[in-house]
Amino acid sequence: MTNYPRAFYYLYSLQRRAYWGVEKLEKYQSEQLRRVIRFASKHVPFYGRQFRELGIDVGSIRSRDDLNKLPILRKSEIKRNLNDMISNESSTGSLKMLSTSSYRQDG
């Protein structure tokens, strides 16, 4: 069953942001980036471990200019660490395994 109220909320939010100025949009994007990085560090075992092992201070990731501090994620790492990439906030029973095709090979 589709969650129509949630869909309408997201549509409304997207439409509202379409008219924001560059400065306001960049501020919003930075806030969302910080929120995602904090969540991943705290609730996704793979990222918590990666950040600790690489000495990445999640508080230092403040904007898109800081994304170069994060390591590039390879397909092979995803395959090796699949279970650790699931948030401990998620119910694994509700997850679905999907795959896509690609023209590139990843080592």
Side-chain angles (χ1 to χ4, degrees):
M1 183 169 148
T2 303
N3 188 336
Y4 290 109
R6 181 178 281 184
F8 284 122
Y9 167 77
Y10 286 124
L11 179 60
Y12 171 75
S13 296
L14 286 170
Q15 288 174 328
R16 195 182 57 188
R17 286 192 295 270
Y19 298 101
W20 285 359
V22 172
E23 191 173 302
K24 185 173 182 177
L25 187 57
E26 286 178 350
K27 181 181 177 190
Y28 173 79
Q29 289 173 338
S30 293
E31 289 168 357
Q32 294 304 306
L33 174 63
R34 288 191 300 271
R35 186 180 65 79
V36 167
I37 295 293
R38 280 192 314 267
F39 182 90
S41 175
K42 185 175 180 180
H43 298 288
V44 181
F46 174 80
Y47 286 109
R49 185 173 60 248
Q50 281 282 92
F51 295 158
R52 279 191 309 279
E53 288 175 0
L54 297 172
I56 296 172
D57 173 19
V58 296
S60 72
I61 311 296
R62 309 222 18 98
S63 71
R64 67 180 177 195
D65 295 332
D66 298 320
L67 289 176
N68 63 346
K69 297 176 183 178
L70 300 175
I72 294 174
L73 182 62
R74 306 257 182 235
K75 185 177 180 179
S76 57
E77 290 176 296
I78 295 171
K79 287 180 176 182
R80 278 194 315 271
N81 298 286
L82 191 58
N83 290 333
D84 283 346
M85 296 188 126
I86 299 170
S87 165
N88 56 25
E89 295 276 303
S90 296
S91 167
T92 55
S94 66
L95 298 177
K96 296 178 183 177
M97 177 69 85
L98 302 174
S99 63
T100 61
S101 61
S102 173
Y103 295 106
R104 249 183 99 201
Q105 283 189 328
D106 182 33

